[in-house]
Amino acid sequence: MIKLSKKIEYGILALQYIAVHSDKIVSAKEISEQMGIPYEFLSKTLQQLMKKGLIVSQHGIKGGYVLGKNAADVTVKDIIIALEGKASFLDCFVSSDGLICERSPNCTIKDPMEKLQSKVMQVFNNTTIAEIATT
Amino acid sequence: MIKLSKKIEYGILALQYIAVHSDKIVSAKEISEQMGIPYEFLSKTLQQLMKKGLIVSQHGIKGGYVLGKNAADVTVKDIIIALEGKASFLDCFVSSDGLICERSPNCTIKDPMEKLQSKVMQVFNNTTIAEIATT
DNA sequence: TTAAAATCGGATTACAATAGTCGGATTTAA
DNA sequence: TTAAATCCGACTATTGTAATCCGATTTTAA
């Protein structure tokens, strides 16, 4: 199925929440309760976003997260890559040279599919957390 | 993960093959062998495409499939819907009224996500089998 | 100094969807 | 009548997602 995973969904919801409440540090617990996201799972997701620099963490009591970049500079594509390592439609496009599936390099749909993917990624790359937070 | 399923991949490969060989009837066996797709699985996929009218079948020996529509009129979106019933990113957008997930109707990302999805579907809707077969 | 509340992180489990297989029925051309 | 094909339902295997558990560490504040 062509769909976004729960992790991506939670990641977008969380980043939006943090962006909207940028006047304070927000904890995973707060996001979890306000957004209705399983706490443990959300924590993992936030830790991943932190490792990729999309958010910054503060340890200890009164701790939590704030944005690590300007909301206008974080795209949906950034979030997908941060949480899943890659953003590609077919296995063909995962490796750097684009040739890892068994049909390559004689795959008859490789080129048109690569164009398709490029267009879709452009869409993901043109949507930012800033837009999502204000719309 | 944001990726196309094997079924979609096989469906595109098969439709492309049938389009390219439109001068004859092609069997599932031929596509399976030429494209390196598991026969049983491919058969199921072709039957689904047939039910949705994207291809037409002929029974019996010397039977097989031909396109059911002009290749230029069959889009990737059509294929996704034929094989998976829907084409939506998040659960929110599956039902007709767009309100089926537990966060709706107060979901804070519903509107921007719907726009995003609409743009991506536009991309899928602008790529046809004719293009894929000639590129 | 101690307790509470938070992030961190590995391991594990539960579940669902995808991918693939099997067996048999039906159709049709030679 | 046989062979080669579509058709169809049920089943299994595998994988990936989603969720959970347990404990360690950090930091603030009483």
mmCIF file of all heavy atoms in Angstrom, chain C residues 1-3 8-9 12-13 15-17 19-20 22-28 30:
data_model
loop_
_atom_site.group_PDB
_atom_site.id
_atom_site.type_symbol
_atom_site.label_atom_id
_atom_site.label_comp_id
_atom_site.label_asym_id
_atom_site.label_seq_id
_atom_site.Cartn_x
_atom_site.Cartn_y
_atom_site.Cartn_z
ATOM 1 P P DT C 1 25.719 13.797 50.392
ATOM 2 O OP1 DT C 1 26.834 13.151 51.094
ATOM 3 O OP2 DT C 1 25.777 13.951 48.961
ATOM 4 O "O5'" DT C 1 24.423 13.075 50.868
ATOM 5 C "C5'" DT C 1 23.514 13.902 51.662
ATOM 6 C "C4'" DT C 1 22.112 13.476 51.304
ATOM 7 O "O4'" DT C 1 21.384 14.596 50.716
ATOM 8 C "C3'" DT C 1 22.050 12.392 50.220
ATOM 9 O "O3'" DT C 1 20.832 11.694 50.368
ATOM 10 C "C2'" DT C 1 21.959 13.207 48.955
ATOM 11 C "C1'" DT C 1 20.923 14.222 49.448
ATOM 12 N N1 DT C 1 20.812 15.439 48.595
ATOM 13 C C2 DT C 1 19.593 16.067 48.509
ATOM 14 O O2 DT C 1 18.609 15.692 49.084
ATOM 15 N N3 DT C 1 19.589 17.179 47.711
ATOM 16 C C4 DT C 1 20.658 17.701 47.005
ATOM 17 O O4 DT C 1 20.527 18.712 46.319
ATOM 18 C C5 DT C 1 21.893 16.997 47.138
ATOM 19 C C7 DT C 1 23.115 17.472 46.422
ATOM 20 C C6 DT C 1 21.917 15.913 47.908
ATOM 21 P P DT C 2 20.674 10.261 50.780
ATOM 22 O OP1 DT C 2 20.882 10.174 52.233
ATOM 23 O OP2 DT C 2 21.438 9.371 49.890
ATOM 24 O "O5'" DT C 2 19.120 10.105 50.485
ATOM 25 C "C5'" DT C 2 18.262 11.138 50.982
ATOM 26 C "C4'" DT C 2 17.251 11.569 49.939
ATOM 27 O "O4'" DT C 2 17.746 12.632 49.090
ATOM 28 C "C3'" DT C 2 16.801 10.450 48.982
ATOM 29 O "O3'" DT C 2 15.401 10.341 49.124
ATOM 30 C "C2'" DT C 2 17.198 10.970 47.595
ATOM 31 C "C1'" DT C 2 17.139 12.483 47.822
ATOM 32 N N1 DT C 2 17.900 13.320 46.854
ATOM 33 C C2 DT C 2 17.283 14.433 46.325
ATOM 34 O O2 DT C 2 16.147 14.763 46.585
ATOM 35 N N3 DT C 2 18.064 15.162 45.471
ATOM 36 C C4 DT C 2 19.362 14.892 45.090
ATOM 37 O O4 DT C 2 19.961 15.624 44.309
ATOM 38 C C5 DT C 2 19.940 13.717 45.672
ATOM 39 C C7 DT C 2 21.346 13.323 45.332
ATOM 40 C C6 DT C 2 19.195 12.986 46.522
ATOM 41 P P DA C 3 14.675 9.025 48.595
ATOM 42 O OP1 DA C 3 14.082 8.342 49.755
ATOM 43 O OP2 DA C 3 15.557 8.277 47.680
ATOM 44 O "O5'" DA C 3 13.489 9.685 47.753
ATOM 45 C "C5'" DA C 3 12.896 10.884 48.245
ATOM 46 C "C4'" DA C 3 12.217 11.613 47.102
ATOM 47 O "O4'" DA C 3 13.195 12.387 46.353
ATOM 48 C "C3'" DA C 3 11.545 10.686 46.092
ATOM 49 O "O3'" DA C 3 10.294 11.244 45.734
ATOM 50 C "C2'" DA C 3 12.509 10.666 44.919
ATOM 51 C "C1'" DA C 3 13.092 12.083 44.978
ATOM 52 N N9 DA C 3 14.423 12.204 44.406
ATOM 53 C C8 DA C 3 15.473 11.330 44.531
ATOM 54 N N7 DA C 3 16.565 11.712 43.907
ATOM 55 C C5 DA C 3 16.202 12.917 43.326
ATOM 56 C C6 DA C 3 16.923 13.822 42.523
ATOM 57 N N6 DA C 3 18.186 13.655 42.165
ATOM 58 N N1 DA C 3 16.272 14.942 42.111
ATOM 59 C C2 DA C 3 14.997 15.119 42.473
ATOM 60 N N3 DA C 3 14.218 14.322 43.230
ATOM 61 C C4 DA C 3 14.896 13.235 43.616
ATOM 62 P P DC C 8 17.057 12.551 24.483
ATOM 63 O OP1 DC C 8 18.276 13.316 24.170
ATOM 64 O OP2 DC C 8 16.004 12.387 23.477
ATOM 65 O "O5'" DC C 8 17.480 11.107 24.990
ATOM 66 C "C5'" DC C 8 18.861 10.837 25.236
ATOM 67 C "C4'" DC C 8 19.037 9.404 25.684
ATOM 68 O "O4'" DC C 8 17.928 8.990 26.501
ATOM 69 C "C3'" DC C 8 19.101 8.379 24.553
ATOM 70 O "O3'" DC C 8 20.444 7.933 24.443
ATOM 71 C "C2'" DC C 8 18.166 7.249 24.987
ATOM 72 C "C1'" DC C 8 17.873 7.582 26.447
ATOM 73 N N1 DC C 8 16.523 7.173 26.935
ATOM 74 C C2 DC C 8 16.412 6.106 27.828
ATOM 75 O O2 DC C 8 17.435 5.509 28.174
ATOM 76 N N3 DC C 8 15.189 5.749 28.288
ATOM 77 C C4 DC C 8 14.115 6.428 27.892
ATOM 78 N N4 DC C 8 12.919 6.050 28.389
ATOM 79 C C5 DC C 8 14.202 7.528 26.986
ATOM 80 C C6 DC C 8 15.418 7.858 26.529
ATOM 81 P P DG C 9 21.010 7.294 23.128
ATOM 82 O OP1 DG C 9 22.472 7.443 23.148
ATOM 83 O OP2 DG C 9 20.206 7.827 22.025
ATOM 84 O "O5'" DG C 9 20.688 5.733 23.273
ATOM 85 C "C5'" DG C 9 21.120 5.056 24.437
ATOM 86 C "C4'" DG C 9 20.520 3.670 24.457
ATOM 87 O "O4'" DG C 9 19.279 3.672 25.204
ATOM 88 C "C3'" DG C 9 20.161 3.110 23.082
ATOM 89 O "O3'" DG C 9 20.633 1.791 23.023
ATOM 90 C "C2'" DG C 9 18.637 3.124 23.068
ATOM 91 C "C1'" DG C 9 18.374 2.835 24.534
ATOM 92 N N9 DG C 9 17.026 3.146 24.989
ATOM 93 C C8 DG C 9 16.210 4.187 24.603
ATOM 94 N N7 DG C 9 15.051 4.192 25.200
ATOM 95 C C5 DG C 9 15.099 3.077 26.030
ATOM 96 C C6 DG C 9 14.132 2.565 26.913
ATOM 97 O O6 DG C 9 13.002 3.008 27.161
ATOM 98 N N1 DG C 9 14.584 1.414 27.558
ATOM 99 C C2 DG C 9 15.814 0.832 27.360
ATOM 100 N N2 DG C 9 16.087 -0.266 28.059
ATOM 101 N N3 DG C 9 16.734 1.309 26.539
ATOM 102 C C4 DG C 9 16.309 2.426 25.906
ATOM 103 P P DT C 12 16.264 -10.306 23.405
ATOM 104 O OP1 DT C 12 16.747 -11.431 24.206
ATOM 105 O OP2 DT C 12 16.640 -10.184 21.969
ATOM 106 O "O5'" DT C 12 14.683 -10.248 23.507
ATOM 107 C "C5'" DT C 12 14.087 -9.689 24.681
ATOM 108 C "C4'" DT C 12 12.634 -9.392 24.439
ATOM 109 O "O4'" DT C 12 12.491 -8.114 23.760
ATOM 110 C "C3'" DT C 12 11.931 -10.408 23.536
ATOM 111 O "O3'" DT C 12 10.965 -11.097 24.295
ATOM 112 C "C2'" DT C 12 11.300 -9.573 22.420
ATOM 113 C "C1'" DT C 12 11.321 -8.172 22.984
ATOM 114 N N1 DT C 12 11.403 -7.109 21.961
ATOM 115 C C2 DT C 12 10.352 -6.217 21.833
ATOM 116 O O2 DT C 12 9.339 -6.276 22.529
ATOM 117 N N3 DT C 12 10.518 -5.252 20.872
ATOM 118 C C4 DT C 12 11.611 -5.110 20.030
ATOM 119 O O4 DT C 12 11.643 -4.202 19.207
ATOM 120 C C5 DT C 12 12.660 -6.074 20.214
ATOM 121 C C7 DT C 12 13.893 -5.999 19.347
ATOM 122 C C6 DT C 12 12.514 -7.015 21.159
ATOM 123 P P DT C 13 10.150 -12.321 23.681
ATOM 124 O OP1 DT C 13 9.910 -13.278 24.751
ATOM 125 O OP2 DT C 13 10.794 -12.716 22.411
ATOM 126 O "O5'" DT C 13 8.762 -11.614 23.307
ATOM 127 C "C5'" DT C 13 8.086 -10.854 24.295
ATOM 128 C "C4'" DT C 13 6.936 -10.100 23.665
ATOM 129 O "O4'" DT C 13 7.441 -9.122 22.742
ATOM 130 C "C3'" DT C 13 5.978 -10.997 22.877
ATOM 131 O "O3'" DT C 13 4.687 -10.806 23.433
ATOM 132 C "C2'" DT C 13 6.099 -10.483 21.436
ATOM 133 C "C1'" DT C 13 6.571 -9.056 21.633
ATOM 134 N N1 DT C 13 7.349 -8.440 20.519
ATOM 135 C C2 DT C 13 6.846 -7.302 19.915
ATOM 136 O O2 DT C 13 5.786 -6.796 20.219
ATOM 137 N N3 DT C 13 7.644 -6.785 18.923
ATOM 138 C C4 DT C 13 8.858 -7.266 18.490
ATOM 139 O O4 DT C 13 9.474 -6.708 17.603
ATOM 140 C C5 DT C 13 9.321 -8.455 19.164
ATOM 141 C C7 DT C 13 10.629 -9.057 18.774
ATOM 142 C C6 DT C 13 8.558 -8.980 20.137
ATOM 143 P P DC C 15 -1.772 -9.394 19.778
ATOM 144 O OP1 DC C 15 -2.949 -8.798 20.435
ATOM 145 O OP2 DC C 15 -1.611 -10.862 19.664
ATOM 146 O "O5'" DC C 15 -1.700 -8.779 18.320
ATOM 147 C "C5'" DC C 15 -1.513 -7.378 18.201
ATOM 148 C "C4'" DC C 15 -1.251 -7.047 16.757
ATOM 149 O "O4'" DC C 15 0.073 -7.457 16.372
ATOM 150 C "C3'" DC C 15 -2.205 -7.739 15.793
ATOM 151 O "O3'" DC C 15 -3.002 -6.717 15.227
ATOM 152 C "C2'" DC C 15 -1.288 -8.469 14.788
ATOM 153 C "C1'" DC C 15 0.063 -7.793 15.005
ATOM 154 N N1 DC C 15 1.279 -8.593 14.745
ATOM 155 C C2 DC C 15 2.234 -8.098 13.849
ATOM 156 O O2 DC C 15 2.025 -7.023 13.299
ATOM 157 N N3 DC C 15 3.363 -8.821 13.631
ATOM 158 C C4 DC C 15 3.550 -9.979 14.263
ATOM 159 N N4 DC C 15 4.677 -10.637 14.006
ATOM 160 C C5 DC C 15 2.600 -10.497 15.174
ATOM 161 C C6 DC C 15 1.479 -9.783 15.389
ATOM 162 P P DA C 16 -4.209 -7.111 14.223
ATOM 163 O OP1 DA C 16 -5.367 -6.254 14.506
ATOM 164 O OP2 DA C 16 -4.338 -8.592 14.171
ATOM 165 O "O5'" DA C 16 -3.559 -6.614 12.846
ATOM 166 C "C5'" DA C 16 -2.732 -5.453 12.868
ATOM 167 C "C4'" DA C 16 -2.138 -5.253 11.505
ATOM 168 O "O4'" DA C 16 -0.933 -6.048 11.369
ATOM 169 C "C3'" DA C 16 -3.058 -5.666 10.365
ATOM 170 O "O3'" DA C 16 -2.958 -4.665 9.376
ATOM 171 C "C2'" DA C 16 -2.498 -7.017 9.909
ATOM 172 C "C1'" DA C 16 -1.006 -6.881 10.235
ATOM 173 N N9 DA C 16 -0.335 -8.129 10.597
ATOM 174 C C8 DA C 16 -0.803 -9.150 11.378
ATOM 175 N N7 DA C 16 0.050 -10.129 11.538
ATOM 176 C C5 DA C 16 1.161 -9.726 10.810
ATOM 177 C C6 DA C 16 2.410 -10.318 10.578
ATOM 178 N N6 DA C 16 2.767 -11.497 11.071
ATOM 179 N N1 DA C 16 3.291 -9.646 9.804
ATOM 180 C C2 DA C 16 2.923 -8.456 9.306
ATOM 181 N N3 DA C 16 1.783 -7.787 9.448
ATOM 182 C C4 DA C 16 0.931 -8.489 10.226
ATOM 183 P P DA C 17 -3.891 -4.678 8.114
ATOM 184 O OP1 DA C 17 -4.484 -3.341 7.974
ATOM 185 O OP2 DA C 17 -4.737 -5.895 8.129
ATOM 186 O "O5'" DA C 17 -2.778 -4.843 6.999
ATOM 187 C "C5'" DA C 17 -1.619 -4.052 7.095
ATOM 188 C "C4'" DA C 17 -0.600 -4.509 6.084
ATOM 189 O "O4'" DA C 17 0.047 -5.710 6.548
ATOM 190 C "C3'" DA C 17 -1.202 -4.826 4.714
ATOM 191 O "O3'" DA C 17 -0.401 -4.172 3.751
ATOM 192 C "C2'" DA C 17 -1.150 -6.347 4.633
ATOM 193 C "C1'" DA C 17 0.051 -6.690 5.533
ATOM 194 N N9 DA C 17 -0.034 -7.982 6.202
ATOM 195 C C8 DA C 17 -1.105 -8.537 6.822
ATOM 196 N N7 DA C 17 -0.874 -9.710 7.356
ATOM 197 C C5 DA C 17 0.458 -9.937 7.054
ATOM 198 C C6 DA C 17 1.314 -11.010 7.336
ATOM 199 N N6 DA C 17 0.944 -12.092 8.010
ATOM 200 N N1 DA C 17 2.595 -10.924 6.891
ATOM 201 C C2 DA C 17 2.970 -9.834 6.212
ATOM 202 N N3 DA C 17 2.257 -8.754 5.887
ATOM 203 C C4 DA C 17 0.991 -8.883 6.344
ATOM 204 P P DA C 19 4.461 -6.618 -1.474
ATOM 205 O OP1 DA C 19 5.733 -5.929 -1.732
ATOM 206 O OP2 DA C 19 3.260 -6.308 -2.269
ATOM 207 O "O5'" DA C 19 4.728 -8.178 -1.527
ATOM 208 C "C5'" DA C 19 5.765 -8.720 -0.734
ATOM 209 C "C4'" DA C 19 5.789 -10.219 -0.872
ATOM 210 O "O4'" DA C 19 4.683 -10.796 -0.159
ATOM 211 C "C3'" DA C 19 5.668 -10.726 -2.314
ATOM 212 O "O3'" DA C 19 6.852 -11.447 -2.602
ATOM 213 C "C2'" DA C 19 4.406 -11.597 -2.316
ATOM 214 C "C1'" DA C 19 4.233 -11.938 -0.847
ATOM 215 N N9 DA C 19 2.868 -12.165 -0.394
ATOM 216 C C8 DA C 19 1.781 -11.346 -0.583
ATOM 217 N N7 DA C 19 0.675 -11.798 -0.026
ATOM 218 C C5 DA C 19 1.061 -12.992 0.566
ATOM 219 C C6 DA C 19 0.352 -13.951 1.310
ATOM 220 N N6 DA C 19 -0.942 -13.845 1.604
ATOM 221 N N1 DA C 19 1.043 -15.027 1.761
ATOM 222 C C2 DA C 19 2.350 -15.120 1.474
ATOM 223 N N3 DA C 19 3.123 -14.284 0.780
ATOM 224 C C4 DA C 19 2.414 -13.230 0.349
ATOM 225 P P DG C 20 7.069 -12.143 -4.019
ATOM 226 O OP1 DG C 20 8.514 -12.238 -4.237
ATOM 227 O OP2 DG C 20 6.186 -11.481 -4.996
ATOM 228 O "O5'" DG C 20 6.526 -13.619 -3.769
ATOM 229 C "C5'" DG C 20 7.018 -14.334 -2.650
ATOM 230 C "C4'" DG C 20 6.203 -15.590 -2.445
ATOM 231 O "O4'" DG C 20 4.889 -15.260 -1.982
ATOM 232 C "C3'" DG C 20 6.000 -16.436 -3.707
ATOM 233 O "O3'" DG C 20 6.659 -17.673 -3.505
ATOM 234 C "C2'" DG C 20 4.481 -16.601 -3.816
ATOM 235 C "C1'" DG C 20 4.022 -16.294 -2.404
ATOM 236 N N9 DG C 20 2.652 -15.820 -2.286
ATOM 237 C C8 DG C 20 2.104 -14.674 -2.820
ATOM 238 N N7 DG C 20 0.842 -14.528 -2.526
ATOM 239 C C5 DG C 20 0.535 -15.646 -1.753
ATOM 240 C C6 DG C 20 -0.685 -16.032 -1.154
ATOM 241 O O6 DG C 20 -1.774 -15.460 -1.173
ATOM 242 N N1 DG C 20 -0.547 -17.230 -0.457
ATOM 243 C C2 DG C 20 0.601 -17.959 -0.361
ATOM 244 N N2 DG C 20 0.550 -19.083 0.347
ATOM 245 N N3 DG C 20 1.752 -17.603 -0.914
ATOM 246 C C4 DG C 20 1.639 -16.445 -1.593
ATOM 247 P P DC C 22 4.296 -24.829 -3.608
ATOM 248 O OP1 DC C 22 5.124 -25.780 -2.843
ATOM 249 O OP2 DC C 22 4.619 -24.525 -5.014
ATOM 250 O "O5'" DC C 22 2.778 -25.308 -3.528
ATOM 251 C "C5'" DC C 22 2.115 -25.263 -2.260
ATOM 252 C "C4'" DC C 22 0.678 -25.718 -2.399
ATOM 253 O "O4'" DC C 22 -0.161 -24.581 -2.689
ATOM 254 C "C3'" DC C 22 0.427 -26.739 -3.508
ATOM 255 O "O3'" DC C 22 -0.199 -27.875 -2.932
ATOM 256 C "C2'" DC C 22 -0.475 -26.015 -4.501
ATOM 257 C "C1'" DC C 22 -1.148 -24.967 -3.615
ATOM 258 N N1 DC C 22 -1.561 -23.727 -4.337
ATOM 259 C C2 DC C 22 -2.864 -23.241 -4.192
ATOM 260 O O2 DC C 22 -3.658 -23.858 -3.466
ATOM 261 N N3 DC C 22 -3.226 -22.111 -4.840
ATOM 262 C C4 DC C 22 -2.327 -21.477 -5.609
ATOM 263 N N4 DC C 22 -2.726 -20.357 -6.224
ATOM 264 C C5 DC C 22 -1.007 -21.962 -5.768
ATOM 265 C C6 DC C 22 -0.659 -23.085 -5.125
ATOM 266 P P DG C 23 -0.376 -29.206 -3.818
ATOM 267 O OP1 DG C 23 -0.160 -30.354 -2.925
ATOM 268 O OP2 DG C 23 0.395 -29.080 -5.067
ATOM 269 O "O5'" DG C 23 -1.929 -29.133 -4.168
ATOM 270 C "C5'" DG C 23 -2.851 -28.840 -3.119
ATOM 271 C "C4'" DG C 23 -4.246 -28.775 -3.689
ATOM 272 O "O4'" DG C 23 -4.483 -27.443 -4.221
ATOM 273 C "C3'" DG C 23 -4.489 -29.743 -4.843
ATOM 274 O "O3'" DG C 23 -5.748 -30.376 -4.655
ATOM 275 C "C2'" DG C 23 -4.466 -28.862 -6.090
ATOM 276 C "C1'" DG C 23 -4.971 -27.531 -5.542
ATOM 277 N N9 DG C 23 -4.494 -26.373 -6.272
ATOM 278 C C8 DG C 23 -3.252 -26.192 -6.845
ATOM 279 N N7 DG C 23 -3.123 -25.035 -7.443
ATOM 280 C C5 DG C 23 -4.358 -24.414 -7.262
ATOM 281 C C6 DG C 23 -4.805 -23.146 -7.695
ATOM 282 O O6 DG C 23 -4.199 -22.289 -8.339
ATOM 283 N N1 DG C 23 -6.123 -22.916 -7.297
ATOM 284 C C2 DG C 23 -6.895 -23.795 -6.578
ATOM 285 N N2 DG C 23 -8.129 -23.398 -6.288
ATOM 286 N N3 DG C 23 -6.477 -24.989 -6.165
ATOM 287 C C4 DG C 23 -5.203 -25.226 -6.541
ATOM 288 P P DG C 24 -6.214 -31.566 -5.625
ATOM 289 O OP1 DG C 24 -6.816 -32.614 -4.774
ATOM 290 O OP2 DG C 24 -5.125 -31.896 -6.567
ATOM 291 O "O5'" DG C 24 -7.392 -30.876 -6.440
ATOM 292 C "C5'" DG C 24 -8.365 -30.125 -5.722
ATOM 293 C "C4'" DG C 24 -9.037 -29.143 -6.643
ATOM 294 O "O4'" DG C 24 -8.099 -28.140 -7.080
ATOM 295 C "C3'" DG C 24 -9.590 -29.785 -7.937
ATOM 296 O "O3'" DG C 24 -10.936 -29.397 -8.073
ATOM 297 C "C2'" DG C 24 -8.726 -29.173 -9.032
ATOM 298 C "C1'" DG C 24 -8.438 -27.817 -8.407
ATOM 299 N N9 DG C 24 -7.372 -27.059 -9.039
ATOM 300 C C8 DG C 24 -6.080 -27.448 -9.275
ATOM 301 N N7 DG C 24 -5.373 -26.526 -9.890
ATOM 302 C C5 DG C 24 -6.258 -25.473 -10.069
ATOM 303 C C6 DG C 24 -6.073 -24.213 -10.676
ATOM 304 O O6 DG C 24 -5.050 -23.746 -11.200
ATOM 305 N N1 DG C 24 -7.234 -23.450 -10.639
ATOM 306 C C2 DG C 24 -8.429 -23.859 -10.088
ATOM 307 N N2 DG C 24 -9.444 -23.014 -10.140
ATOM 308 N N3 DG C 24 -8.616 -25.045 -9.524
ATOM 309 C C4 DG C 24 -7.495 -25.792 -9.547
ATOM 310 P P DA C 25 -11.956 -30.327 -8.896
ATOM 311 O OP1 DA C 25 -12.799 -31.030 -7.916
ATOM 312 O OP2 DA C 25 -11.184 -31.089 -9.907
ATOM 313 O "O5'" DA C 25 -12.852 -29.263 -9.666
ATOM 314 C "C5'" DA C 25 -13.300 -28.104 -8.967
ATOM 315 C "C4'" DA C 25 -13.483 -26.967 -9.943
ATOM 316 O "O4'" DA C 25 -12.181 -26.432 -10.297
ATOM 317 C "C3'" DA C 25 -14.157 -27.378 -11.255
ATOM 318 O "O3'" DA C 25 -15.314 -26.584 -11.471
ATOM 319 C "C2'" DA C 25 -13.098 -27.140 -12.328
ATOM 320 C "C1'" DA C 25 -12.188 -26.114 -11.678
ATOM 321 N N9 DA C 25 -10.809 -26.184 -12.144
ATOM 322 C C8 DA C 25 -9.924 -27.217 -11.998
ATOM 323 N N7 DA C 25 -8.746 -26.987 -12.528
ATOM 324 C C5 DA C 25 -8.861 -25.712 -13.055
ATOM 325 C C6 DA C 25 -7.964 -24.885 -13.756
ATOM 326 N N6 DA C 25 -6.708 -25.255 -14.052
ATOM 327 N N1 DA C 25 -8.405 -23.676 -14.147
ATOM 328 C C2 DA C 25 -9.657 -23.310 -13.855
ATOM 329 N N3 DA C 25 -10.589 -23.998 -13.206
ATOM 330 C C4 DA C 25 -10.128 -25.205 -12.826
ATOM 331 P P DT C 26 -16.294 -26.941 -12.695
ATOM 332 O OP1 DT C 26 -17.655 -26.533 -12.295
ATOM 333 O OP2 DT C 26 -15.994 -28.324 -13.151
ATOM 334 O "O5'" DT C 26 -15.796 -25.938 -13.815
ATOM 335 C "C5'" DT C 26 -15.786 -24.540 -13.550
ATOM 336 C "C4'" DT C 26 -15.096 -23.830 -14.694
ATOM 337 O "O4'" DT C 26 -13.711 -24.237 -14.741
ATOM 338 C "C3'" DT C 26 -15.675 -24.140 -16.072
ATOM 339 O "O3'" DT C 26 -16.167 -22.937 -16.612
ATOM 340 C "C2'" DT C 26 -14.502 -24.701 -16.874
ATOM 341 C "C1'" DT C 26 -13.301 -24.197 -16.091
ATOM 342 N N1 DT C 26 -12.065 -25.006 -16.195
ATOM 343 C C2 DT C 26 -10.959 -24.453 -16.790
ATOM 344 O O2 DT C 26 -10.953 -23.323 -17.251
ATOM 345 N N3 DT C 26 -9.854 -25.266 -16.834
ATOM 346 C C4 DT C 26 -9.752 -26.557 -16.351
ATOM 347 O O4 DT C 26 -8.710 -27.190 -16.450
ATOM 348 C C5 DT C 26 -10.947 -27.084 -15.743
ATOM 349 C C7 DT C 26 -10.941 -28.467 -15.186
ATOM 350 C C6 DT C 26 -12.039 -26.290 -15.689
ATOM 351 P P DT C 27 -17.021 -22.969 -17.981
ATOM 352 O OP1 DT C 27 -17.993 -21.851 -17.920
ATOM 353 O OP2 DT C 27 -17.469 -24.351 -18.229
ATOM 354 O "O5'" DT C 27 -15.924 -22.601 -19.077
ATOM 355 C "C5'" DT C 27 -15.289 -21.332 -19.021
ATOM 356 C "C4'" DT C 27 -14.124 -21.309 -19.989
ATOM 357 O "O4'" DT C 27 -13.173 -22.327 -19.625
ATOM 358 C "C3'" DT C 27 -14.505 -21.568 -21.442
ATOM 359 O "O3'" DT C 27 -14.177 -20.418 -22.189
ATOM 360 C "C2'" DT C 27 -13.674 -22.793 -21.842
ATOM 361 C "C1'" DT C 27 -12.557 -22.773 -20.820
ATOM 362 N N1 DT C 27 -11.909 -24.081 -20.498
ATOM 363 C C2 DT C 27 -10.574 -24.241 -20.758
ATOM 364 O O2 DT C 27 -9.891 -23.366 -21.251
ATOM 365 N N3 DT C 27 -10.055 -25.466 -20.417
ATOM 366 C C4 DT C 27 -10.734 -26.529 -19.847
ATOM 367 O O4 DT C 27 -10.157 -27.570 -19.590
ATOM 368 C C5 DT C 27 -12.135 -26.296 -19.594
ATOM 369 C C7 DT C 27 -12.964 -27.367 -18.979
ATOM 370 C C6 DT C 27 -12.661 -25.092 -19.927
ATOM 371 P P DT C 28 -14.896 -20.186 -23.608
ATOM 372 O OP1 DT C 28 -14.989 -18.724 -23.824
ATOM 373 O OP2 DT C 28 -16.097 -21.039 -23.694
ATOM 374 O "O5'" DT C 28 -13.792 -20.755 -24.606
ATOM 375 C "C5'" DT C 28 -12.510 -20.132 -24.645
ATOM 376 C "C4'" DT C 28 -11.526 -21.006 -25.375
ATOM 377 O "O4'" DT C 28 -11.250 -22.203 -24.613
ATOM 378 C "C3'" DT C 28 -11.987 -21.486 -26.756
ATOM 379 O "O3'" DT C 28 -11.031 -21.067 -27.688
ATOM 380 C "C2'" DT C 28 -12.029 -22.997 -26.629
ATOM 381 C "C1'" DT C 28 -10.984 -23.231 -25.540
ATOM 382 N N1 DT C 28 -11.059 -24.514 -24.801
ATOM 383 C C2 DT C 28 -9.902 -25.242 -24.620
ATOM 384 O O2 DT C 28 -8.824 -24.888 -25.030
ATOM 385 N N3 DT C 28 -10.063 -26.410 -23.912
ATOM 386 C C4 DT C 28 -11.240 -26.919 -23.386
ATOM 387 O O4 DT C 28 -11.251 -27.978 -22.778
ATOM 388 C C5 DT C 28 -12.407 -26.108 -23.620
ATOM 389 C C7 DT C 28 -13.743 -26.565 -23.102
ATOM 390 C C6 DT C 28 -12.271 -24.950 -24.311
ATOM 391 P P DA C 30 -6.443 -23.032 -33.324
ATOM 392 O OP1 DA C 30 -5.352 -22.160 -33.811
ATOM 393 O OP2 DA C 30 -7.753 -23.018 -33.994
ATOM 394 O "O5'" DA C 30 -5.898 -24.522 -33.299
ATOM 395 C "C5'" DA C 30 -4.709 -24.804 -32.556
ATOM 396 C "C4'" DA C 30 -4.565 -26.291 -32.388
ATOM 397 O "O4'" DA C 30 -5.663 -26.797 -31.579
ATOM 398 C "C3'" DA C 30 -4.609 -27.086 -33.694
ATOM 399 O "O3'" DA C 30 -3.521 -27.985 -33.740
ATOM 400 C "C2'" DA C 30 -5.938 -27.832 -33.643
ATOM 401 C "C1'" DA C 30 -6.131 -27.997 -32.144
ATOM 402 N N9 DA C 30 -7.525 -28.157 -31.730
ATOM 403 C C8 DA C 30 -8.603 -27.407 -32.130
ATOM 404 N N7 DA C 30 -9.744 -27.777 -31.581
ATOM 405 C C5 DA C 30 -9.383 -28.835 -30.758
ATOM 406 C C6 DA C 30 -10.126 -29.674 -29.908
ATOM 407 N N6 DA C 30 -11.450 -29.546 -29.727
ATOM 408 N N1 DA C 30 -9.454 -30.634 -29.232
ATOM 409 C C2 DA C 30 -8.139 -30.743 -29.421
ATOM 410 N N3 DA C 30 -7.327 -30.025 -30.199
ATOM 411 C C4 DA C 30 -8.017 -29.074 -30.847
#
